[in-house]
Amino acid sequence: MEHLVSSWCNGRSLPESYILPPGKRPGKLTVPLANNIPVIDLGGHDQTDVINHGVPSNLMDEAMSVFKEFHALFAKDKAIETSKDPNKSCYFYTSSPNYATEKFHFWRDGLVHHCNPLEKYIQFWPERPPRYREVVGPYTAEVRKLGFRILEFTSQGLGISPDHFSSGLSENQTLLVNHYPPCPDPSLTLGVGKHRDPGGINILLQSDVYGLQVFKDEEWVGVEPIPYAFVINIGYPLQIISNGKLKGAEHRVVTNSNVARTIASLFFNPSSETLVEPAKALIDASNPALYKSLTYKDFLSKYIAASSDSKALEEVLSTTL
Ligand SMILES: O=C(O)CCC(=O)C(=O)O
Ligand SMILES: [Fe+2]
């Protein structure tokens, strides 16, 4: 826990271990903002206090407040609050879960915990700030409903059976709450390096502070926060199931020198033994399977081994390369 960026970063210059190799540095800090990311309105007419995705705006605000309060705790308290489960369904790290072995570090502290079934996991969640469970329980339950709606629409769009698809992709819901403190030199480091998400979909609540960038047409573009909207990211397993019809966007997180940024991502992941493979309905003689069939556990070990080298990962997973 002594590593936590937030516990030592004030007034310090950027330590060498956080300086990325030249090819991975963000370098130029201003990139164009994306102007063609689809904004989807999910309807919902008569509610007054909801944006059309159905998650009440006050719940989004409250969740963001408790996430910020959690990250503002002393490091020793964060350690206590994230070590209640001997099986580690709730944990905390700086940079990445591989802090001890990685060649360089990223400028982020992350809290992770499982969310579903709630009755099983909530007992291991932080109890400080005192409202954490009371707010984050309903927040994750609402976002879960939204996730199922999105997966249902996605399966309809792809023309594959919704039951198999949504349950296969969402047995395991995990919340990641990232905190990126103000950084002494944002041109040399990143909050999170370039990656595609490893789950089915990810429903991301950004605060009002910008930091997310997407790699589109060989250039980085910024994803500006829209108040009370979620960012939906497609993960690699959904790319595989859709046989490449849907693409997981590569993204990264830049830091800034003035204000801290906090985000919460709810990942909808398959369970370990779920087979991740192109949906049978999308495969025929003229549309051969582009990806191998793997259990999610095996997929994850290949994903981690490729350590965000997307070409290497594509080669391991593809049937054609
Ligand atoms: O900080 C962000 O906006 C995104 C973090 C991220 O890449 C993720 O949660 O997968
Ligand atoms: Fe991500």
Side-chain angles (χ1 to χ4, degrees):
M1 280 287 169
E2 70 278 16
H3 302 307
L4 299 188
V5 183
S6 48
S7 53
W8 54 258
C9 64
N10 264 350
R12 292 260 312 258
S13 58
L14 191 69
E16 199 143 321
S17 57
Y18 284 80
I19 300 179
L20 301 179
K24 295 189 189 290
R25 293 177 196 166
K28 145 173 100 99
L29 288 174
T30 41
V31 301
L33 291 175
N35 54 13
N36 54 2
I37 295 179
V39 177
I40 302 170
D41 181 338
L42 290 180
H45 313 288
D46 354 68
Q47 298 112 320
T48 47
D49 64 342
V50 298
I51 294 294
N52 297 332
H53 48 61
V55 184
S57 49
N58 63 341
L59 191 55
M60 297 169 81
D61 285 338
E62 285 179 18
M64 185 47 78
S65 307
V66 296
F67 295 143
K68 288 180 179 168
E69 285 168 40
F70 171 83
H71 278 287
L73 295 173
F74 288 119
K76 70 172 180 4
D77 294 330
K78 283 185 273 209
I80 295 168
E81 296 306 319
T82 54
S83 42
K84 296 176 196 286
D85 183 3
N87 290 322
K88 300 206 180 320
S89 65
C90 177
Y91 57 96
F92 193 73
Y93 59 77
T94 279
S95 176
S96 88
N98 308 322
Y99 184 91
T101 52
E102 66 197 9
K103 293 198 188 78
F104 43 79
H105 304 312
F106 293 105
W107 194 258
R108 85 89 181 248
D109 291 338
L111 158 70
V112 179
H113 59 67
H114 285 254
C115 300
N116 188 58
L118 190 60
E119 322 73 74
K120 177 170 173 193
Y121 290 115
I122 197 166
Q123 59 185 309
F124 304 122
W125 293 6
E127 287 170 291
R128 279 178 288 177
R131 294 181 65 232
Y132 190 93
R133 295 180 182 180
E134 188 189 314
V135 170
V136 180
Y139 174 77
T140 55
E142 288 298 327
V143 178
R144 179 174 143 82
K145 285 193 227 156
L146 172 61
F148 277 105
R149 284 172 75 200
I150 294 171
L151 289 171
E152 195 183 315
F153 292 139
T154 311
S155 65
Q156 275 170 13
L158 288 168
I160 59 188
S161 147
D163 300 345
H164 170 73
F165 177 78
S166 338
S167 57
L169 273 178
S170 59
E171 281 142 349
N172 152 12
Q173 279 132 34
T174 306
L175 185 74
L176 165 66
V177 182
N178 281 345
H179 177 72
Y180 314 95
C183 175
D185 194 339
S187 69
L188 297 178
T189 193
L190 287 168
V192 182
K194 184 179 179 186
H195 67 286
R196 284 195 173 91
D197 286 340
I201 56 168
N202 167 15
I203 302 188
L204 167 69
L205 173 65
Q206 302 200 72
S207 58
D208 50 3
V209 181
Y210 161 78
L212 176 63
Q213 298 183 341
V214 177
F215 199 56
K216 173 99 180 18
D217 301 328
E218 300 302 308
E219 67 165 359
W220 288 104
V221 289
V223 182
E224 242 185 333
I226 300 175
Y228 300 114
F230 289 102
V231 175
I232 311 299
N233 264 323
I234 290 172
Y236 217 122
L238 181 48
Q239 180 169 329
I240 295 174
I241 292 168
S242 72
N243 203 32
K245 286 199 161 66
L246 298 173
K247 294 265 187 301
E250 287 186 290
H251 54 282
R252 70 179 184 184
V253 179
V254 294
T255 60
N256 76 78
S257 46
N258 302 319
V259 276
R261 176 168 182 267
T262 303
I263 63 96
S265 283
L266 191 64
F267 290 95
F268 289 68
N269 295 339
S271 66
S272 310
E273 299 306 328
T274 298
L275 213 50
V276 176
E277 61 182 0
K280 301 265 180 313
L282 302 177
I283 305 298
D284 58 29
S286 45
N287 296 290
L290 299 178
Y291 296 101
K292 295 172 193 157
S293 158
L294 288 174
T295 60
Y296 185 57
K297 188 171 66 188
D298 290 344
F299 162 83
L300 268 186
S301 64
K302 293 187 190 315
Y303 178 91
I304 292 163
S307 95
S308 83
D309 178 340
S310 56
K311 282 214 181 73
L313 184 61
E314 195 68 31
E315 274 169 27
V316 173
L317 298 174
S318 164
T319 52
T320 56
L321 295 176

